Amino acid sequence: MSVDASLRARAAKVIPGGMYGHLNAVLHGDRYPQFFVRAEGARQWDADGREYVDLMCSWGPMIVGHREPRVEAAAAAQQASGDCLNGPGPVMVELAELLVDLIPSADWAMFSKNGTDATTQALMVARAATGRTKVLVAHGAYHGADPWCTPGLSGVTPNQRADTVEFTYNDLASAEAAAAEADGDVAAILVTPFKHDSFEDQEPADAEFARGVRALADRLGAALVIDDVRAGWRLDLRGSWEPLGVRPDLTAWSKAMANGFPIAALTGADALRGAAQSLYSTGSFWFSATAMAAAKATIEILRESDGPGLMHRAGTRLREGLAAQAAAHGFVVRQTGPVQVPWLSFEGDDTLEKGIHWAGACLEEGVYLHPWHNWFLSAAHTDEEIDRALQGTDAAFAKLRAAYGAD
């Protein structure tokens, strides 16, 4: 029995289902390992010692390289002084100042631990500010795992979903119709920077749609909230819609903010400061200083090195390489999403059968990516790392052709 299989058997006795949530390997395919023991730079090692080029970046949190020395040193120095104390450390103020200085839409910042914390907190601020209840959200969009937004409905009551009204992403008329359905009771419009729903091709935000929902929020007197948890820090350090010229009232951040240390943030406009101050929103570990020190170091590295530019270079190299390989092996593929947050699907593969087979073959060749969830690039994905990944994906295309034939 492999080490991974042994750990799964033990876990099944003491953990419901043996594993749960988005890292449950059962959801990913038969060949995915569940347990990992080490990471360095752009690589990870599973419990059986197999090495992978990590194109998932721990599902997003890693952004400057696993165990990046400067981040690790900042975290270790803070940990040596104290982490979870009777109040936050000075680094909380320093991190908030850094965010306000960096993000044009931010006049203040609040901190928590997970993306769900930040999106939920954003809606609380919007409701406190407006006195309204409804939130407009795109159908199929992922905003976290609390009852109001979790994709699964087990344990969720209808009342917990009653205050969300859905629209179709990139369809301004649909958003207008959702606002009309809410009948004057809209507290917020919550959107992702691009459509990154699982199991389907990604879709960039249309500039007219982005400007339209900004105008709609203004007309309704509602808050425009950008959920930048997944895309944040990879596309534009100022905020993912900043290149479109659209600034939100509130932005939720997490995932890559501290290179794997647990932290989330909500930033907002001065007009919502009073509403934010009125909340009772807290957690035992929300003010722990170590993750804040790691976040400060991570963001400084990204700013100094043009992290988004490095990731764009890596993503472009990967995308061009995959396109050439697919064509050479006779496959028609679609590569969607920003190159820093990519995904690949096969033409006509509605059941994702080919995608799952190819992703499994990539694992065998030492490349960790995913058949139905977007991937992530990091500043640690050098040309050498991308070229090593492409060696594996090329071999995986060959295995796919042997199993299915060319398109």
Side-chain angles (χ1 to χ4, degrees):
M1 181 181 290
S2 69
V3 175
D4 190 81
S6 177
L7 286 167
R8 291 192 197 209
R10 290 166 56 190
K13 297 177 182 178
V14 293
I15 298 168
M19 183 57 188
Y20 51 90
H22 69 293
L23 297 185
N24 187 349
V26 172
L27 303 175
H28 308 157
D30 294 340
R31 287 178 276 186
Y32 278 78
Q34 181 64 81
F35 294 94
F36 291 78
V37 296
R38 188 163 74 88
E40 188 82 29
R43 305 288 178 102
Q44 287 202 34
W45 288 260
D46 68 21
D48 286 286
R50 289 174 297 216
E51 180 179 349
Y52 306 93
V53 178
D54 181 11
L55 294 183
M56 290 300 290
C57 294
S58 300
W59 292 65
M62 187 277 278
I63 194 167
V64 293
H66 294 292
R67 300 182 65 216
E68 198 285 330
R70 184 169 158 189
V71 176
E72 295 295 312
Q78 181 60 62
Q79 182 71 44
S81 297
D83 181 26
C84 189
L85 306 171
N86 284 342
V91 70
M92 180 180 181
V93 180
E94 296 166 4
L95 179 57
E97 289 173 338
L98 176 61
L99 295 181
V100 169
D101 179 62
L102 180 65
I103 301 165
S105 64
D107 293 313
W108 51 264
M110 300 173 72
F111 301 103
S112 51
K113 279 297 173 192
N114 289 286
T116 305
D117 298 331
T119 55
T120 300
Q121 198 173 51
L123 301 191
M124 292 174 69
V125 171
R127 287 171 172 141
T130 63
R132 303 173 192 159
T133 59
K134 304 294 184 184
V135 178
L136 309 187
V137 300
H139 175 74
Y142 183 82
H143 295 294
D146 272 0
W148 69 269
C149 59
T150 179
L153 295 180
S154 178
V156 177
T157 69
N159 285 345
Q160 290 172 312
R161 306 302 276 260
D163 291 327
T164 57
V165 183
E166 293 188 343
F167 61 89
T168 301
Y169 196 91
N170 266 342
D171 185 338
L172 187 56
S174 173
E176 295 272 5
E181 180 183 340
D183 193 24
D185 193 27
V186 179
I189 303 174
L190 175 60
V191 290
T192 55
F194 62 96
K195 189 175 187 289
H196 49 56
D197 306 357
S198 296
F199 299 100
E200 60 185 72
D201 292 343
Q202 300 183 98
E203 184 180 327
D206 180 78
E208 183 178 348
F209 169 76
R211 289 191 291 267
V213 293
R214 172 71 275 178
L216 176 61
D218 291 341
R219 190 171 78 244
L220 297 172
L224 176 62
V225 183
I226 298 293
D227 178 353
D228 229 342
V229 169
R230 190 177 302 191
W233 315 111
R234 284 188 158 87
L235 307 187
D236 192 308
L237 298 182
R238 303 169 300 167
S240 294
W241 269 11
E242 192 66 22
L244 299 178
V246 177
R247 290 182 179 170
D249 302 299
L250 297 163
T251 305
W253 310 84
S254 189
K255 271 203 190 294
M257 184 172 170
N259 202 46
F261 286 83
I263 192 169
L266 176 67
T267 58
D270 203 46
L272 295 172
R273 186 189 300 268
Q277 184 178 342
S278 75
L279 301 187
Y280 185 78
S281 183
T282 191
S284 295
F285 307 106
W286 283 17
F287 307 103
S288 297
T290 298
M292 293 183 182
K296 183 169 177 282
T298 299
I299 295 167
E300 288 171 344
I301 291 169
L302 290 169
R303 182 164 64 173
E304 293 165 11
S305 65
D306 182 23
L310 294 175
M311 287 177 270
H312 189 276
R313 172 190 168 90
T316 300
R317 190 179 187 90
L318 178 65
R319 181 160 293 184
E320 291 174 351
L322 290 171
Q325 290 174 355
H329 287 282
F331 292 108
V332 179
V333 300
R334 296 188 300 271
Q335 297 193 71
T336 57
V339 295
Q340 302 98 315
V341 193
W343 190 56
L344 180 147
S345 61
F346 290 83
E347 187 71 31
D349 188 27
D350 295 339
T351 65
L352 301 183
E353 181 180 347
K354 284 184 179 179
I356 291 170
H357 188 98
W358 179 74
C362 286
L363 285 174
E364 293 173 351
E365 298 297 330
V367 183
Y368 193 103
L369 44 73
H370 206 273
W372 51 257
H373 189 285
N374 68 262
W375 318 336
F376 297 90
L377 273 293
S378 78
H381 283 99
T382 61
D383 289 353
E384 291 75 19
E385 293 290 352
I386 295 299
D387 290 346
R388 169 61 189 90
L390 287 169
Q391 291 176 12
T393 57
D394 190 45
F397 277 121
K399 290 181 177 181
L400 184 66
R401 184 174 59 184
Y404 288 89
D407 288 343

